[in-house]
Amino acid sequence: MNGFELLAHMRSHYPAIPAVVISAFATPEVGERLMRIGILEVLEKPFGFEALLACIERNLERKPPEGEMAGISISAFLQLIEMEGKTCVLLATGKTGEKGRFHLKKGRPAAAICGELMGEEAAYAMLAWDDPKLSFDTNNQSLPAKGRVKTPLMSLLLEGARRKDEKLEKEIGAIGM
């Protein structure tokens, strides 16, 4: 596994663990692609011990704002809601500001909206987000007329994971790391 594959694996399986890339060849293009998978800092070689220590401290101090959750994937959180059989509206915000929501009824997906996308396509788009911020909408619990989801949660999660893996493989191939 190369470095980029390791980072992608870490962001996918351990999103709460902060990661910093150290490189002697950090181009703006590589930096942009790293930010897309959730790497917030790139230290360029050579660097001093103080710079490394400051970078580590900054990354360990990052916490989500009050009322939001971070460090858990949407798919893991949806599984918890399903196990508890909860009815709620889960709001999700991606790293670049994109927003979406899942309407859940007795733990099952009832609707999903993400930008212009509705239903299952909206769900797949949100499931592909790395390290989203999650919260609940306590004001608007009504089910929207559009964006209904008929696919069971496990089927949504499996298809969402497949799509995310394919997208990640394409990104890794494009970088050539």
Side-chain angles (χ1 to χ4, degrees):
M1 166 182 309
N2 64 34
F4 196 85
E5 291 168 328
L6 174 62
L7 289 169
H9 175 81
M10 291 291 297
R11 299 311 313 150
S12 174
H13 293 87
Y14 309 100
I17 297 174
V20 176
V21 171
I22 298 171
S23 175
F25 307 103
T27 65
E29 180 182 307
V30 169
E32 183 179 310
R33 289 184 181 183
L34 289 169
M35 285 186 74
R36 273 192 252 140
I37 65 164
I39 306 304
L40 300 177
E41 290 197 54
V42 177
L43 279 178
E44 289 194 53
K45 294 178 186 177
F47 56 86
F49 177 76
E50 293 79 20
L52 177 61
L53 181 60
C55 180
I56 291 169
E57 287 175 343
R58 275 192 307 276
N59 280 279
L60 290 176
E61 290 172 357
R62 285 196 172 104
K63 292 183 179 154
E66 189 69 29
E68 291 183 350
M69 295 169 278
I72 184 168
S73 68
I74 292 174
S75 42
F77 200 76
L78 288 174
Q79 290 176 73
L80 291 172
I81 292 172
E82 182 183 51
M83 284 186 340
E84 294 292 321
K86 300 294 182 188
T87 297
C88 61
V89 178
L90 179 66
L91 302 176
T93 304
K95 283 185 283 194
T96 58
E98 61 270 43
K99 295 184 182 291
R101 67 184 193 263
F102 280 95
H103 292 257
L104 299 128
K105 189 168 181 113
K106 296 182 181 175
R108 294 193 170 95
I113 300 170
C114 179
E116 299 291 320
L117 299 174
M118 302 280 180
E120 281 84 358
E121 290 304 316
Y124 298 139
M126 289 184 281
L127 288 169
W129 295 348
D130 290 315
D131 200 25
K133 294 195 178 13
L134 305 174
S135 61
F136 291 101
D137 185 350
T138 55
N139 297 322
N140 186 9
Q141 297 288 317
S142 61
L143 196 60
K146 295 181 179 181
R148 298 290 171 103
V149 173
K150 301 201 185 296
T151 305
L153 180 61
M154 237 355 106
S155 297
L156 277 176
L157 298 180
L158 288 171
E159 176 63 13
R162 185 191 67 76
R163 290 180 182 202
K164 184 177 180 178
D165 286 347
E166 284 182 358
K167 181 181 173 189
L168 197 56
E169 285 177 13
K170 287 179 185 176
E171 287 178 4
I172 290 170
I175 290 177
M177 286 181 84

